[in-house]
Amino acid sequence: MQLRPKIRLPTLLIGVNLAVLIIAIVGIATVAISLLLELGDDQGLARVRQGVAIAQNDVKRSGNEVLTTAQLLAERPTLARLLQTNDQAALSTFLSQFQATSDLAGCAIYQDGQLLIAVGAEVPAMPALEDRALLLDGPLLRLAARVPLATDPSVIVAVWIELDQQYQAELSTILSLPVAIVPQQRLSNANDPLSQTQTAALNTNSTTDSYLRAQHQYIASAPLLASTGQPIGVVSVTLPDTQIRNSAQRLSEVLLTIALVGGVLAFGLNLLVGRYVGGPLRRLTKAAAQIGRGDLTTPVAPAKGVEVGTLAGTLEDMRQRLRGLTADLQRQQSEANAILAGIVEGVFTVDRDRRIRYLNQQAASMLGIEPEQAIGRFCGDVLQPQLIDGVRPCEQACPIIHARFRGQAQATEHLQLRDGRRRTVIITSSGDLEHNHVQVMRDETDIETSRRLRDTILATISHEFRTPLSAQLASLELLLDQLPQLSTAQIRQLIVSLQRGALRLTYLIDNLLESARIEAGQLTIRRSEIALDAVVEAAVELMLPLIQQRRQQVEVDLPYPLPNVAGDATRLTQVFVNLLANASKFSPPDSTIGIGGEVSAEHLQVWVEDEGPGMPPSPSESPFRLFVRGRNEPEQSGAGLGLWIVQSIIERHDGRIHVPARSLGTRIVIELPRGSDENFSR
């Protein structure tokens, strides 16, 4: 049996391509002209729509920058100091310099709703809104922001920029298209087609586009909204139609020429070859489409013909390989996700523009956000690193930039979280991996805090113990060396000095032990009905040697009769010992320490006051925090435990402690709930 020779695919494809090409061009040549022109119009309109969307986003970005600039100005210590000294000349110079360096049209300071000072362009009418960027109406549109001063909320800082010709020229350079920002006032009486499309955007409060055939240009306009939500202007982007329509016209002429030449020749060939090749190719096309849609389970049927059969076999081999590779990729992705979810460190990736593309849950937890809130944002805006000399580290010391040249970089960052907490992290940046960088973020907050607390505790203990021990050692050496020659008064004086040193060591050790019990959660309160005046007397007796050493006096003036309180006498004695020690330490010699009190229907207040320099108010630091020491510490300072222990004990007695503001001296007030109405007999 003689086999029929098979037609080779190259010969078949040459004939089919010629036939299909010519017949297709003949059939669609006329329609293609109009379709290409319509397509050109659609492309032109799409380009201006995209341009106006980018322009809108740039205005919003500029608003965010204005708000950030206002916040930076409000946080400047120099501004707060100049406002406090009311130095108008220096304040005007400072604001002028800030305006010049920040490219602002102007800035102003308001106090209690009244304009205090302004520099730059005419001061716009500012709505009573804060902490956001506002688009202000007028002959020239402006972006403005109001932010309260960090140290005085009654003072409002306002800055603004103008959307003038320079701003429009910069935006046109970015888009490579002409951009115009037109206030509503300029559109009210305009009747030209360009202004009509801009007015339509204002009236519909939406983006409009149009092809102005007479002007030979495409235009898209979008409204700009004021703080009230009302449109007060438009931003427009235009594109000449010359390039798009000329290209479409030339392509249409080529298609028409080819159609006229090849139409007659291609028609017959397509009829002869279509049936022979069309069926197998359609089946292979369907199989390829299934593979393209991700269906790798349906096998590719074999086809007749050398080339088509080989193509079908190759397609089947490709399907099987893709199926295996897909399974491997899914397994590797699952392993990678499991690794990223299981490690302690936070991991995120950024692109060439340092925008976050991936963020694992550990990194999101460190930053106090959800992963989807960070995707697509600039990493510096998400991490919020602490400013260095008023500049964010992203500008000068970014590890991502360094890693591009060194292959790897590491930096320690102090982050400011959204809830106000600070976090210390070490960020390790990989080199450039296909225009992406992998960042590994390790939380060092607890380690850094523990290290500082450890160093503080060791330094404090060594200092505080050395002073009384040295004094005791000197007294003992003097007793050993000169005991036969010393008089009874001198021996008594040395023994009293030893007693005072022992009392001071006992006071320090008790505070250290008490702080350890509080930190370990082992502080227990044994409640019973006690007389608080007896507790005060016991504390005074314990501290009397140290108080007399500084030639100080204690005056007790408590109400009589004093109600009972329910509490632990030992712990409350320690409270008054710490308060008396604190008052004695900060009071000058030959001064008086007072103990007083008041009684209300439900509570009992007792305070300890001194004649020291006073405790200046500090909204950022509480005097009752652990290891916090006063700003005017005397030479023999404490470990920063006393007031923290006092607050812990008082809170466990369901009471509270506070320091009222005073012009001279310090008064620390504790408030305890009253016990039974029966008083102890004296």
Side-chain angles (χ1 to χ4, degrees):
M1 181 177 180
Q2 186 178 3
L3 297 176
R4 296 176 59 186
K6 298 180 179 179
I7 300 176
R8 296 186 60 82
L9 186 59
T11 304
L12 182 61
L13 289 178
I14 292 174
V16 171
N17 287 336
L18 288 175
V20 172
L21 176 63
I22 295 174
I23 195 62
I25 294 176
V26 171
I28 66 172
T30 305
V31 180
I33 295 175
S34 60
L35 292 178
L36 287 172
L37 292 177
E38 292 178 1
L39 179 61
D41 293 341
D42 292 340
Q43 290 178 346
L45 293 175
R47 186 172 177 185
V48 294
R49 282 197 302 269
Q50 182 183 19
V52 81
I54 295 174
Q56 272 187 314
N57 291 332
D58 191 82
V59 173
K60 293 179 181 178
R61 179 188 60 79
S62 299
N64 293 333
E65 290 179 354
V66 170
L67 178 58
T68 302
T69 303
Q71 292 171 345
L72 290 175
L73 178 58
E75 293 172 356
R76 288 289 182 88
T78 304
L79 177 61
R81 178 175 55 78
L82 294 176
L83 287 171
Q84 187 177 6
T85 58
N86 197 21
D87 190 347
Q88 294 291 326
L91 186 60
S92 177
T93 302
F94 172 77
L95 291 178
S96 299
Q97 293 176 351
F98 185 85
Q99 173 201 359
T101 57
S102 302
D103 294 331
L104 297 173
C107 51
I109 305 297
Y110 296 84
Q111 187 169 23
D112 296 327
Q114 300 297 323
L115 179 64
L116 184 62
I117 189 172
V119 297
E122 179 183 359
V123 181
M126 300 291 293
L129 297 175
E130 297 179 358
D131 295 335
R132 57 176 293 189
L134 309 174
L135 186 63
L136 303 182
D137 196 1
L140 188 64
L141 296 181
R142 297 175 176 176
L143 283 171
R146 289 165 48 102
V147 176
L149 195 65
T151 57
D152 187 1
S154 65
V155 178
I156 302 299
V157 175
V159 301
W160 63 91
I161 64 172
E162 296 179 345
L163 305 185
D164 52 8
Q165 293 295 330
Q166 180 180 357
Y167 181 89
Q168 298 172 32
E170 293 174 355
L171 191 55
S172 300
T173 303
I174 295 174
L175 296 179
S176 299
L177 293 173
V179 178
I181 298 177
V182 185
Q184 185 178 13
Q185 300 174 3
R186 290 170 51 188
L187 297 175
S188 58
N189 299 322
N191 294 321
D192 59 285
L194 178 63
S195 299
Q196 289 176 357
T197 61
Q198 295 171 337
T199 304
L202 279 176
N203 295 334
T204 60
N205 197 16
S206 61
T207 301
T208 60
D209 56 56
S210 178
Y211 171 50
L212 305 179
R213 194 174 301 275
Q215 285 75 22
H216 299 288
Q217 62 181 0
Y218 304 94
I219 181 173
S221 301
L224 296 176
L225 306 181
S227 59
T228 60
Q230 297 296 325
I232 60 173
V234 294
V235 55
S236 298
V237 176
T238 57
L239 172 67
D241 67 345
T242 305
Q243 181 179 0
I244 293 178
R245 298 190 69 84
N246 287 349
S247 299
Q249 186 66 34
R250 287 196 301 271
L251 183 57
S252 300
E253 293 173 356
V254 172
L255 287 175
L256 183 59
T257 302
I258 295 174
L260 294 176
V261 174
V264 177
L265 297 176
F267 180 78
L269 292 176
N270 185 64
L271 292 177
L272 295 175
V273 180
R275 291 183 180 179
Y276 186 84
V277 180
L281 288 179
R282 282 193 296 270
R283 289 192 294 271
L284 289 178
T285 301
K286 182 178 179 181
Q290 289 177 336
I291 294 175
R293 291 193 298 267
D295 182 7
L296 301 178
T297 59
T298 303
V300 179
K304 297 180 180 180
V306 177
E307 288 81 3
V308 178
T310 303
L311 179 60
T314 303
L315 195 61
E316 172 63 14
D317 293 340
M318 182 185 69
R319 182 192 67 82
Q320 294 180 358
R321 291 192 181 95
L322 285 176
R323 187 176 181 181
L325 289 174
T326 302
D328 292 340
L329 287 175
Q330 290 176 347
R331 184 175 61 256
Q332 293 174 4
Q333 184 177 8
S334 300
E335 293 174 354
N337 291 336
I339 292 173
L340 291 176
I343 62 177
V344 178
E345 288 80 5
V347 178
F348 63 95
T349 60
V350 298
D351 58 14
R352 292 289 296 178
D353 296 328
R354 292 184 285 176
R355 298 187 178 275
I356 295 178
R357 295 304 178 193
Y358 169 79
L359 187 79
N360 72 345
Q361 188 59 47
Q362 288 82 344
S365 299
M366 289 183 190
L367 301 176
I369 60 174
E370 295 297 329
E372 55 270 13
Q373 295 177 339
I375 302 302
R377 296 178 57 192
F378 181 65
C379 61
D381 296 335
V382 177
L383 298 180
Q384 291 294 332
Q386 184 178 355
L387 300 180
I388 301 177
D389 296 331
V391 180
R392 198 159 62 177
C394 302
E395 308 298 333
Q396 299 178 352
C398 180
I400 301 175
I401 302 299
H402 293 172
R404 292 177 182 175
F405 304 98
R406 304 175 186 172
Q408 187 177 15
Q410 189 176 83
T412 300
E413 302 283 1
H414 302 283
L415 310 182
Q416 179 71 46
L417 304 186
R418 291 186 174 183
D419 57 4
R421 295 182 294 117
R422 295 185 179 273
R423 189 178 294 277
T424 301
V425 298
I426 294 179
I427 298 179
T428 303
S429 178
S430 70
D432 194 343
L433 302 175
E434 298 182 356
H435 305 299
N436 289 311
H437 295 267
V438 178
Q439 314 296 311
V440 179
M441 183 168 57
R442 187 171 71 250
D443 190 356
E444 292 284 324
T445 305
D446 294 337
I447 297 176
E448 184 69 19
T449 302
S450 300
R451 186 182 298 115
R452 289 199 302 267
L453 290 180
R454 181 199 62 193
D455 296 342
T456 301
I457 292 172
L458 290 177
T460 301
I461 291 175
S462 61
H463 172 74
E464 295 302 323
F465 279 25
R466 185 181 295 112
T467 300
L469 285 175
S470 299
Q472 288 180 312
L473 183 60
S475 299
L476 290 173
E477 290 177 352
L478 186 60
L479 280 173
L480 290 175
D481 295 340
Q482 302 181 12
L483 183 60
Q485 293 83 20
L486 295 176
S487 64
T488 303
Q490 291 174 330
I491 294 175
R492 177 179 177 81
Q493 183 178 2
L494 291 175
I495 293 176
V496 169
S497 176
L498 289 173
Q499 181 191 24
R500 291 169 180 166
L503 285 174
R504 180 169 179 79
L505 284 175
T506 302
Y507 163 70
L508 291 173
I509 292 172
D510 287 344
N511 277 346
L512 289 172
L513 292 176
E514 198 71 14
S515 66
R517 294 190 191 100
I518 294 173
E519 285 290 303
Q522 298 178 356
L523 179 64
T524 58
I525 301 297
R526 296 183 176 87
R527 296 182 182 273
S528 62
E529 290 287 331
I530 61 174
L532 200 59
D533 52 357
V535 172
V536 172
E537 291 176 2
V540 172
E541 290 179 1
L542 288 173
M543 293 302 299
L544 194 58
L546 292 178
I547 293 175
Q548 291 176 346
Q549 182 183 9
R550 295 175 58 83
R551 303 186 306 277
Q552 296 168 338
Q553 295 181 354
V554 179
E555 292 183 356
V556 180
D557 185 14
L558 294 174
Y560 182 87
L562 197 64
N564 299 334
V565 295
D568 190 327
T570 302
R571 303 296 185 193
L572 291 177
T573 301
Q574 188 176 7
V575 166
F576 286 100
V577 166
N578 282 338
L579 293 179
L580 288 171
N582 204 60
S584 175
K585 178 174 60 178
F586 284 94
S587 297
D590 301 314
S591 61
T592 300
I593 300 172
I595 301 177
E598 290 181 356
V599 179
S600 63
E602 297 180 355
H603 296 89
L604 172 62
Q605 286 189 353
V606 180
W607 59 76
V608 177
E609 57 186 4
D610 58 55
E611 299 176 359
M615 187 179 297
S618 177
S620 60
E621 288 189 0
S622 169
F624 302 105
R625 291 197 307 155
L626 183 61
F627 300 116
V628 172
R629 298 161 63 181
R631 299 181 182 178
N632 301 317
E633 286 282 343
E635 182 178 357
Q636 292 187 355
S637 60
L641 297 173
L643 293 182
W644 178 73
I645 292 174
V646 167
Q647 184 186 45
S648 299
I649 295 175
I650 294 301
E651 288 178 349
R652 283 168 172 80
H653 280 79
D654 301 325
R656 69 185 190 96
I657 183 170
H658 64 280
V659 183
R662 301 187 69 187
S663 59
L664 180 63
T666 301
R667 172 181 288 186
I668 300 179
V669 182
I670 62 175
E671 183 177 288
L672 295 171
R674 292 180 55 171
S676 64
D677 293 335
E678 298 178 358
N679 297 322
F680 283 88
S681 60
R682 309 297 168 128

